[in-house]
């Protein structure tokens, strides 16, 4: 697990200058790899290049130092991530008389490329971002894993091409301050995050998951290609539920086993929910000693579920570590957590995720998580809403729905961030949409597209915010499979995986997600949808596959999610700072927002007149980024 950086400058530069730039890029991501660093530089007739990395040693502690080279040193690689099937891939290469110098998974990627070229990228089961320089071809190949677990940013400007694991590395060597992207703004204020390929900056992008970039060093040009996955259609169309249940049990256990290979101590995040409980159970059954489990709870009881994690820990006889947190625990960390994302990011669950990662890192170096279980097995409430939307809009005319919303608004209005039944009812009515692209309305957790005109100044207005993604997935927006695919491309890559990667790597902890396995995704994507979402039972197949290993009805208990009472915090300890963000003089100088919309919105929340947690927190996180990062570039 590491952080990588690289650049190609379209003029010849001294190698000392290239290494200086790489050192600057490395310096700001030491948290991703505190154990060691490596550099590689080269030049052609009209270009200079360099690749660098910071390493967090997990596998092959003694011989895995990067960069790693081919035998003739014409090919070099720097790599961030873990390849879980590298031993099998290595065995196949050994059968072809391929020679290895190390026992690392990094060298396996390099040797695969030597034998199969870019076709080898689809053979990898893991989380990764890597760059391979082929001196003979004068090309660099930069690739990102299937789900986008590992980040990769890039920029192409007049100086050359740059890439890095984190935005801060790019900003460090940019020749000039980048402009704020209107597209990035629109996506952020609706979703609360910015999915690939977009960022908050014009001219700077994220390499999309399951894609690779082919860079021609000599011409300073590149093309991006999707990695073609050879998914087998090996599930009988009439597969029985009993057969699917057994296959699910086997696949999950197999994936947990593959993700538990490590030369350093390993544990699990245990929230007490279905996914983390199953991963913890599976890992405990594969070890001959008690595993270590880690969880956080909250002093505010409506958000606390620590009793559930304790129940699972007792069941699997783990060495359990529990941390109860309050706003005071976050006061010294909130800035470093939010600003480490490098661009606006308003998923408030990043705060406890960081704290549990920080505490976990004091005991182990690797933690398994339950991330991805909802996308893979159909576990979100929004999947209900997606199905309900079609039925509701067919029965209730839009005009009648508008009247219902207006009539119930005072009834469902909340003044406190408790997220109880009134909160859920209001959220459900607000999610109903009569357009064909209603699911994008459902996943817009902050502002809806129709509110953007009154929020942002004309310069930052974007028509059809989600056009790129609609073109990518087509017009399909009706079935559970459609919803899951949209989530894989947008919510999983842009939110969940960003949150976990940045918060865990900030503490130098490697997190691994067994549910994010291409084989499992392909399996569930071939099943009848009712196996995943049966009536009102989410993740039905997964829960049925493991229910006999848990107390009766445990896996069917409702879960609150990893929520945080930031609505209360905004009215309390953070209120002075928040008030400074809506000062009319400041807003007018900033020239991004319409003050007549923003000031009443925030003021209503601060006064307790109305709970506007999601919108106000999104605004707060943006302003913190703007003042602490963008204004200082």
């Amino acid at each position: 697990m590491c952080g990588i950086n690289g650049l190609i400058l379209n003029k010849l530069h001294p190698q000392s200058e290239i290494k200086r730039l790489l050192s600057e890029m490395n310096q700001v991501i030491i948290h991703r790899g505190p154990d060691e660093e490596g550099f590689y530089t080269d030049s052609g007739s009209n270009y200079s290049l360099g690749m660098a990395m910071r390493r967090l040693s997990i596998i092959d502690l003694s011989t895995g130092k990067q960069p790693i080279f081919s035998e003739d040193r014409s090919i070099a690689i720097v790599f961030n991530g873990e390849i879980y099937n590298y031993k099998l891939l290595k065995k196949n290469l050994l059968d072809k008389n391929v020679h290895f110098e190390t026992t690392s998974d990094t060298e396996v990627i390099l040797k695969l490329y030597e034998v199969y070229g870019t076709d080898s990228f689809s053979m990898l089961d893991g989380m990764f971002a890597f760059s391979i320089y082929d001196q003979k071809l004068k090309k660099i190949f930069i690739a990102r894993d299937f789900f986008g677990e590992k980040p990769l940013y890039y920029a192409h400007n007049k100086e050359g091409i740059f890439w890095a694991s984190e935005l801060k590395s790019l900003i460090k060597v940019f020749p000039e301050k980048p402009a704020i992207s209107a597209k990035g703004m629109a996506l952020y204020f609706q979703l609360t995050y910015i999915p690939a390929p977009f960022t908050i900056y014009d001219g700077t992008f994220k390499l999309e998951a399951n894609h690779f970039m082919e860079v021609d060093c000599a011409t300073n040009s590149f093309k991006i290609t999707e990695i073609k996955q050879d998914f087998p259609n090996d599930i009988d169309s009439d597969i029985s539920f009993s057969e699917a249940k057994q296959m699910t049990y086997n696949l999950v256990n197999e994936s947990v086993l593959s993700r538990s290979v490590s030369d350093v101590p390993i544990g699990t995040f245990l929230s007490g929910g279905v996914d983390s409980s199953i991963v913890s159970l599976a890992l405990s059954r594969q070890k001959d000693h008690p595993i270590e489990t880690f969880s956080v709870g909250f002093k505010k009881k409506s958000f606390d579920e620590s009793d559930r994690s304790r129940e699972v820990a007792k069941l699997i006889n783990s060495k359990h570590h529990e941390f109860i947190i309050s706003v005071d625990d976050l006061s010294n960390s909130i800035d470093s957590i939010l600003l480490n994302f490098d661009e606006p990011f308003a998923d408030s669950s990043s705060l406890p995720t960081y704290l549990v990662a920080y505490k976990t890192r004091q005991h182990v170096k690797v933690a398994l998580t339950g991330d991805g279980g909802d996308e893979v097995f159909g576990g979100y409430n929004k999947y209900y809403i997606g199905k309900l939307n079609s039925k509701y809009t067919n029965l209730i005319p839009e005009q009648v729905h508008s009247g219902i919303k207006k009539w119930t608004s005072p009834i469902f209005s909340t003044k406190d961030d408790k997220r109880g039944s009134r909160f859920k009812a209001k959220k459900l009515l607000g999610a109903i949409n009569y357009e064909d692209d209603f699911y994008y309305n459902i996943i817009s957790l902050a502002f809806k597209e129709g509110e953007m005109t009154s929020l942002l100044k004309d310069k930052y207005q974007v028509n059809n915010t989600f056009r790129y993604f609609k073109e990518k997935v087509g017009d399909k927006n009706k079935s559970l499979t459609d919803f899951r695919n949209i989530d894989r491309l947008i919510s999983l890559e842009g939110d969940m995986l960003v949150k976990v990667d940045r918060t865990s790597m900030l503490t130098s902890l490697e997190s691994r997600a067994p549910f994010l396995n291409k084989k499992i995704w392909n399996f569930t994507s071939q099943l009848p949808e009712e196996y995943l979402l049966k009536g009102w039972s989410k993740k039905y197949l997964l829960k049925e596959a493991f229910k006999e290993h848990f107390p009766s009805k445990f896996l069917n208990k409702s879960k609150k999610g990893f929520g945080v009472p930031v609505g209360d915090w905004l009215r309390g300890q953070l209120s002075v700072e928040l008030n400074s963000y809506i000062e009319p003089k400041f807003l007018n100088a900033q020239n991004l927002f319409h003050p007549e919309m923003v000031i009443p919105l925030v003021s209503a929340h601060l006064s307790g007149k109305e709970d506007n947690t999601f919108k106000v927190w999104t605004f707060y996180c943006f302003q913190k980024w703007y003042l602490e990062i963008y204004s200082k570039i």
Side-chain angles (χ1 to χ4, degrees):
M1 184 63 66
C2 312
I4 65 171
N5 297 301
L7 53 85
I8 304 168
L9 301 182
N10 53 25
K11 292 180 181 178
L12 287 174
H13 293 259
Q15 289 197 6
S16 59
E17 173 67 9
I18 299 299
K19 188 171 181 180
R20 182 188 68 79
L21 292 172
L22 291 172
S23 295
E24 291 183 7
M25 297 173 80
N26 263 2
Q27 188 65 29
V28 294
I29 59 164
I30 287 177
H31 54 275
R32 296 192 74 91
D35 295 333
E36 61 187 27
E37 67 180 342
F39 299 92
Y40 172 77
T41 61
D42 194 24
S43 60
S45 60
N46 64 338
Y47 67 88
S48 297
L49 69 83
M51 301 191 303
M53 54 80 65
R54 293 288 324 187
R55 186 184 183 208
L56 177 65
S57 305
I58 302 295
I59 292 176
D60 188 14
L61 306 185
S62 59
T63 66
K65 183 177 175 62
Q66 298 182 39
I68 288 180
F69 299 90
S70 60
E71 288 187 51
D72 64 0
R73 297 187 70 84
S74 68
I75 304 175
I77 182 173
V78 290
F79 164 60
N80 168 29
E82 301 289 351
I83 305 302
Y84 303 121
N85 63 337
Y86 81 99
K87 291 184 177 180
L88 175 60
L89 294 170
K90 183 174 183 177
K91 180 181 181 301
N92 294 337
L93 290 169
L94 288 170
D95 291 341
K96 294 180 178 292
N97 297 316
V98 174
H99 175 70
F100 286 84
E101 293 288 341
T102 76
T103 58
S104 72
D105 51 354
T106 308
E107 189 178 17
V108 172
I109 301 172
L110 182 67
K111 296 297 184 180
L112 275 174
Y113 169 76
E114 286 190 89
V115 175
Y116 299 104
T118 57
D119 289 343
S120 64
F121 300 162
S122 66
M123 303 175 186
L124 304 173
D125 171 28
M127 52 180 182
F128 57 80
F130 59 78
S131 56
I132 295 174
Y133 174 53
D134 191 322
Q135 190 179 59
K136 294 176 182 177
L137 295 179
K138 294 183 171 56
K139 289 184 176 182
I140 285 183
F141 300 92
I142 306 168
R144 194 174 179 207
D145 66 76
F146 180 76
F147 292 101
E149 290 184 76
K150 293 291 101 183
L152 200 290
Y153 297 85
Y154 68 93
H156 184 204
N157 57 39
K158 61 183 180 181
E159 302 291 328
I161 296 173
F162 305 80
W163 65 97
S165 291
E166 296 190 10
L167 262 176
K168 57 175 65 70
S169 291
L170 296 185
I171 297 301
K172 190 74 176 176
V173 296
F174 273 180
E176 57 190 32
K177 184 172 183 173
I180 293 178
S181 164
K183 186 72 172 182
M185 286 269 284
L187 286 165
Y188 170 74
F189 276 101
Q190 290 178 65
L191 294 169
T192 72
Y193 55 88
I194 306 172
F198 305 101
T199 74
I200 194 60
Y201 299 118
D202 275 338
T204 302
F205 302 92
K206 302 178 182 85
L207 182 62
E208 291 179 85
N210 198 44
H211 283 71
F212 74 91
M213 176 188 294
E214 180 179 336
V215 184
D216 189 316
C217 302
T219 63
N220 189 36
S221 62
F222 67 90
K223 65 178 181 179
I224 296 176
T225 305
E226 185 174 8
I227 298 173
K228 300 300 180 185
Q229 299 291 340
D230 184 22
F231 283 141
N233 292 316
D234 53 359
I235 307 299
D236 292 336
S237 59
D238 60 348
I239 182 174
S240 69
F241 183 80
S242 178
E243 291 170 325
K245 186 171 71 170
Q246 185 60 52
M247 289 182 70
T248 296
Y249 182 82
N250 294 340
L251 284 169
V252 170
N253 277 284
E254 175 188 303
S255 190
V256 169
L257 180 63
S258 71
R259 271 87 176 142
S260 64
V261 175
S262 174
D263 294 333
V264 296
I266 189 171
T268 70
F269 289 165
L270 177 58
S271 69
V274 170
D275 303 323
S276 66
S277 297
I278 287 174
V279 168
S280 298
L281 173 86
L283 183 64
S284 71
R285 297 275 174 94
Q286 295 170 7
K287 300 294 183 180
D288 57 5
H289 56 82
I291 67 169
E292 297 200 67
T293 53
F294 304 87
S295 70
V296 294
F298 299 94
K299 290 182 178 179
K300 187 168 183 176
K301 292 303 179 183
S302 60
F303 285 81
D304 185 60
E305 294 184 301
S306 53
D307 57 329
R308 295 187 57 172
S309 58
R310 287 195 295 269
E311 186 176 354
V312 177
K314 183 178 180 180
L315 172 70
I316 65 176
N317 191 33
S318 69
K319 184 179 180 182
H320 190 55
H321 308 264
E322 180 182 297
F323 318 105
I324 304 299
I325 63 174
S326 68
V327 68
D328 295 332
D329 300 308
L330 286 167
S331 60
N332 296 324
S333 303
I334 191 168
D335 282 8
S336 61
I337 297 169
L338 294 179
L339 298 178
N340 187 54
F341 291 101
D342 298 335
E343 59 182 348
F345 186 82
D347 184 341
S348 60
S349 65
S350 64
L351 304 178
T353 301
Y354 166 79
L355 286 178
V356 72
Y358 174 77
K359 298 289 188 180
T360 299
R361 182 62 177 86
Q362 297 171 22
H363 300 271
V364 298
K365 209 170 182 178
V366 179
L368 302 191
T369 78
D371 297 323
D374 289 316
E375 289 83 1
V376 174
F377 285 98
Y380 287 120
N381 287 330
K382 60 186 174 182
Y383 296 150
Y384 290 144
I385 300 173
K387 288 183 170 294
L388 179 64
N389 194 94
S390 297
K391 296 179 180 179
Y392 182 94
T393 54
N394 285 333
L395 291 172
I396 308 297
E398 186 172 2
Q399 189 174 0
V400 174
H401 173 68
S402 298
I404 293 173
K405 282 181 64 178
K406 184 176 181 180
W407 177 69
T408 58
S409 180
I411 300 173
F412 294 147
S413 179
T414 57
K415 297 180 180 180
D416 187 17
D417 186 18
K418 290 182 177 178
R419 307 192 190 183
S421 57
R422 286 195 299 167
F423 168 84
K424 293 175 182 177
K426 182 179 179 180
K427 186 176 180 181
L428 174 61
L429 282 174
I432 295 295
N433 189 281
Y434 284 76
E435 304 296 328
D436 289 337
D437 58 357
F438 64 86
Y439 193 71
Y440 295 95
N441 185 62
I442 292 172
I443 64 175
S444 294
L445 299 178
F447 297 86
K448 305 303 180 185
E449 186 145 12
E451 298 175 304
M452 299 301 288
T453 302
S454 58
L455 174 69
L456 299 176
K457 291 292 184 72
D458 290 348
K459 182 181 178 181
Y460 296 98
Q461 293 296 323
V462 173
N463 292 324
N464 200 345
T465 304
F466 299 105
R467 178 184 291 122
Y468 177 85
F469 303 101
K470 294 172 187 176
E471 291 175 352
K472 196 172 184 67
V473 302
D475 295 330
K476 295 180 178 180
N477 185 25
K478 302 294 184 185
S479 68
L480 176 60
T481 300
D482 300 333
F483 305 154
R484 289 172 57 234
N485 271 308
I486 292 171
D487 276 349
R488 179 173 65 85
L489 292 172
I490 298 179
S491 306
L492 187 61
E493 185 282 332
D495 181 10
M496 176 69 74
L497 297 180
V498 173
K499 173 188 69 180
V500 175
D501 175 81
R502 301 307 188 282
T503 55
S504 61
M505 293 309 296
L506 183 58
T507 70
S508 301
L509 175 79
E510 176 176 307
S511 61
R512 301 176 179 177
F515 289 116
L516 295 180
N517 183 314
K518 292 189 294 184
K519 187 185 294 186
I520 298 178
W521 176 268
N522 181 49
F523 168 68
T524 58
S525 296
Q526 296 179 67
L527 295 174
E529 290 188 354
E530 58 268 24
Y531 284 9
L532 306 181
L533 186 61
K534 184 177 180 181
W536 293 102
S537 181
K538 300 170 292 184
K539 284 186 288 200
Y540 181 67
L541 175 63
L542 179 64
K543 291 187 288 189
E544 286 294 303
F546 283 89
K547 73 175 184 179
E548 65 183 76
H549 303 283
F550 289 90
S552 177
K553 298 182 180 180
F554 176 85
L555 295 179
N556 288 316
K557 292 180 181 178
S558 61
K559 190 176 186 302
K560 300 182 181 70
F562 218 179
V564 187
V566 292
D568 296 346
W569 297 351
L570 288 166
R571 293 189 184 99
Q573 188 164 332
L574 303 178
S575 61
V576 174
E577 183 182 6
L578 177 58
N579 261 314
S580 72
Y581 294 160
I582 58 170
E583 285 290 334
K585 186 177 179 180
F586 168 66
L587 287 175
N588 288 329
Q590 194 178 23
N591 199 31
L592 296 174
F593 305 100
H594 289 296
E596 62 272 20
M597 191 272 200
V598 171
I599 294 174
L601 176 79
V602 175
S603 298
H605 184 82
L606 286 170
S607 67
K609 181 180 179 181
E610 186 175 2
D611 181 67
N612 294 318
T613 294
F614 284 91
K615 292 178 179 179
V616 175
W617 178 251
T618 303
F619 174 77
Y620 170 87
C621 291
F622 178 88
Q623 295 293 59
K624 180 173 283 292
W625 166 83
Y626 183 90
L627 285 171
E628 298 298 327
I629 293 183
Y630 189 68
S631 296
K632 297 178 180 180
I633 296 176

